[in-house]
Amino acid sequence: MEYSSSYKSNLPILYLVATPIGNLQDFSLRAINTLKQVNLIACEDTRVTAKLLNHYEIDKPLLACHEHNEQEASIKIVEILNNGQSVAYLSDAGYPLISDPGHRLVQNVINAGFPVSTIGGSSALLNALAASGLASDHFYFYGFLPVKASERTQVLKSLEQFADTLIFYEAPHRISETLKALAEVFKDRRFVIARELTKIHEEIIRGNLLEVNTINSENLRGEMVIIVEGAPQNISENNDIYLLNEIDKLLKIGLSLKQSCEVLSVQLSIKKNYLYQLYIKEKQ
Ligand code: SAM
């Protein structure tokens, strides 16, 4: 077991700083203050980050750390932390590590014994999910699907039975192809395209995958997140034995009957009171 506390330790910290996904006003005061305080800013693309830093009049040494040099750059960053200096890491937009580089860096910094802390902000997947109107209590973020059609279909098939809302990132030039592939597997499920979030042309398109052919892909420009409704659950209120077993499992891990019914009610979209009465009747 290993406990790491950024604020209680005197060790230099690696700060993971989320950057705006479009609207510069989404950069927090804490992010700006942290960037002013650290000794070095490591980033995915120094040109992109330089623009952001210019906007906030922050002048710090930059170090490129991207998917092609992450291992070597991480070693340099660990050396800098070893010299007692703190470092911030930024990707081009949103959270580093979320469909962006940074994972190897974080692993190396943790292995070297330094604390890692996050400065929050926008992330395309959460902004999109929150605005989608689709179920948000459980969701599965896949990120970018494979480019090759056969691999993409294989991945989508593997997600076909997932009950959770599915979230994908996609590049604008592949959006039409991807929508068709989604429609082939997920048939008549509801879907949402969240386009150009936080920007002037922000648009949320909500529809049914049966209708994807009616979308004019010429109008689908910019950055997009695609969200698809999870698989419909076949569990009906008649599956009482299954439901009683599920309640028992939750009781065994220490939840009260009321809590167990609440959890299952959300998971299975079954009335809480139905579950409660079922259990009481059965166990009397
Ligand atoms: N690290 C980022 C995050 O936390 O969301 C994601 C970076 S990933 C390389 C870029 C993808 O994120 C885009 O292809 C798009 O799917 C999504 N994205 C980024 N900005 C967006 C925006 N403003 N509106 C909609 N989707 C966006």
Side-chain angles (χ1 to χ4, degrees), residues 17-20 24-35 56 119-121:
V17 182
T19 56
L24 281 185
Q25 292 182 49
D26 281 347
F27 210 33
S28 72
L29 266 180
R30 192 163 157 247
I32 297 164
N33 288 337
T34 303
L35 294 182
Y56 290 102
I119 313 282

Side-chain angles (χ1 to χ4, degrees), residues 21 93 95 98-100 123-124 144 169-170 194 197 223-225:
I21 57 168
Y95 277 76
I98 304 300
S99 296
D100 265 344
S123 178
F144 288 99
Y169 280 170
E170 194 46 287
L197 291 163
E223 301 201 271
M224 273 162 272
V225 180

Side-chain angles (χ1 to χ4, degrees), residues 18-23 44 91-101 122-126 128 141 144 168-172 194-199 222-226:
T19 56
I21 57 168
N23 191 322
E44 182 182 5
S91 64
D92 290 352
Y95 277 76
L97 284 89
I98 304 300
S99 296
D100 265 344
S122 286
S123 178
L125 79 108
L126 291 180
F141 171 62
F144 288 99
F168 304 97
Y169 280 170
E170 194 46 287
R195 194 172 76 81
E196 293 288 87
L197 291 163
T198 79
K199 304 183 198 175
E223 301 201 271
M224 273 162 272
V225 180
I226 311 173

Side-chain angles (χ1 to χ4, degrees), residues 9-15 34-35 37-42 60-63 74-89 105 109 112-116:
S9 98
N10 293 323
L11 291 168
I13 297 172
L14 171 71
Y15 293 97
T34 303
L35 294 182
Q37 280 161 18
V38 293
N39 302 92
L40 174 86
I41 298 177
K60 290 281 164 174
L62 297 182
L63 175 78
S74 304
I75 293 167
K76 281 191 200 146
I77 291 168
V78 169
E79 268 172 30
I80 290 162
L81 293 166
N82 266 322
N83 289 337
Q85 302 191 315
S86 55
V87 180
Y89 182 63
L105 169 64
V109 168
F114 292 101
V116 176

Side-chain angles (χ1 to χ4, degrees), residues 98-115:
I98 304 300
S99 296
D100 265 344
H103 182 234
R104 265 174 290 170
L105 169 64
V106 168
Q107 276 186 324
N108 286 336
V109 168
I110 293 171
N111 289 342
F114 292 101

Side-chain angles (χ1 to χ4, degrees), residues 38 47 53 78 80 83 109 112 120 159 163 168 182 208 210 221 252-253 258 263 267 284:
V38 293
R47 288 161 304 177
L53 298 182
V78 169
I80 290 162
N83 289 337
V109 168
L159 301 175
F168 304 97
L182 290 169
N208 189 296
L210 293 173
R221 294 185 193 283
K252 273 194 196 125
I253 61 166
K258 188 163 168 262
V263 169
Q267 278 178 0
Q284 264 172 1

Side-chain angles (χ1 to χ4, degrees), residues 189-207:
R189 293 204 209 157
R190 290 184 295 158
F191 81 106
V192 171
I193 298 175
R195 194 172 76 81
E196 293 288 87
L197 291 163
T198 79
K199 304 183 198 175
I200 279 179
H201 297 293
E202 175 173 295
E203 182 180 44
I204 312 280
I205 303 169
R206 300 182 180 87

